[in-house]
């Protein structure tokens, strides 16, 4: 019989199922449930940017702003041209009352993607 110490019973397929279930939980407004499903996925696949982005969104929705900030920052280290991640990080800073950092990331999001929501948040017409 093969050695199974440390085996958790989790497979790549199970991680995909957990990721999809976490998406559904977040959409159903259960961000804490989504985080619980994503923790083992990210533990097994720390390089998975999509899982990290989803967990960041879940942290944000649960008002866990420091963990959300950390996850959005990790995503941006790997994908500096991810406009949504810049926008979401800016919203995180905004909720933490850190307007200068928020403005910078709102503007980066708008520069990367002319999405009307990003452009409005960037407030290019206001003073620097």
């Amino acid at each position: 019989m093969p050695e199974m110490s440390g085996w958790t019973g989790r497979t790549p397929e199970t991680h995909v199922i957990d990721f999809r279930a976490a998406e559904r939980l977040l959409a159903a407004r259960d961000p804490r449930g989504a985080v619980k499903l994503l923790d083992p996925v990210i533990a097994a696949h720390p390089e998975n940017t999509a899982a990290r982005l989803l967990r960041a969104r879940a942290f944000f929705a649960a008002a866990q702003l420091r963990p959300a900030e950390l996850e959005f920052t990790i995503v941006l280290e790997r994908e500096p041209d991810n406009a949504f991640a810049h926008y979401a990080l800016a919203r995180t800073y905004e909720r933490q009352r850190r307007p200068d950092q928020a403005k910078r990331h709102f503007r980066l999001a708008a520069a990367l993607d002319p999405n009307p929501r990003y452009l409005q948040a960037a407030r290019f017409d206001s003073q620097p």
Side-chain angles (χ1 to χ4, degrees):
M1 183 153 192
E3 173 62 38
M4 297 193 117
S5 64
W7 185 70
T8 63
R10 309 308 287 168
T11 65
E13 294 80 14
T14 306
H15 292 144
V16 171
I17 291 167
D18 287 348
F19 178 86
R20 296 295 179 216
E23 288 179 316
R24 287 181 182 80
L25 285 174
L26 187 56
R29 300 177 189 233
D30 182 3
R32 293 181 197 284
V35 168
K36 282 184 183 180
L37 284 176
L38 291 167
D39 285 344
V41 173
I42 292 170
H45 306 281
E47 74 291 347
N48 187 315
T49 304
R52 286 191 174 277
L53 186 57
L54 186 59
R55 186 164 71 170
R57 290 176 49 219
F59 280 137
F60 181 85
Q64 295 179 8
L65 301 178
R66 294 300 286 172
E69 176 187 346
L70 175 63
E71 290 295 339
F72 286 129
T73 300
I74 291 169
V75 169
L76 287 169
E77 286 172 359
R78 296 172 183 179
E79 297 180 2
D81 59 346
N82 187 321
F84 175 78
H86 280 288
Y87 176 78
L89 180 58
R91 296 256 315 155
T92 304
Y93 286 141
E94 188 176 61
R95 285 180 70 183
Q96 292 174 324
R97 294 181 175 21
R98 295 161 66 187
D100 292 339
Q101 290 159 302
K103 180 192 276 187
R104 176 176 181 267
H105 286 279
F106 279 137
R107 290 186 172 189
L108 285 166
L112 291 165
D113 179 353
N115 177 314
R117 183 173 54 173
Y118 301 167
L119 290 169
Q120 182 179 13
R123 298 184 288 274
F124 285 115
D125 56 348
S126 66
Q127 295 295 320

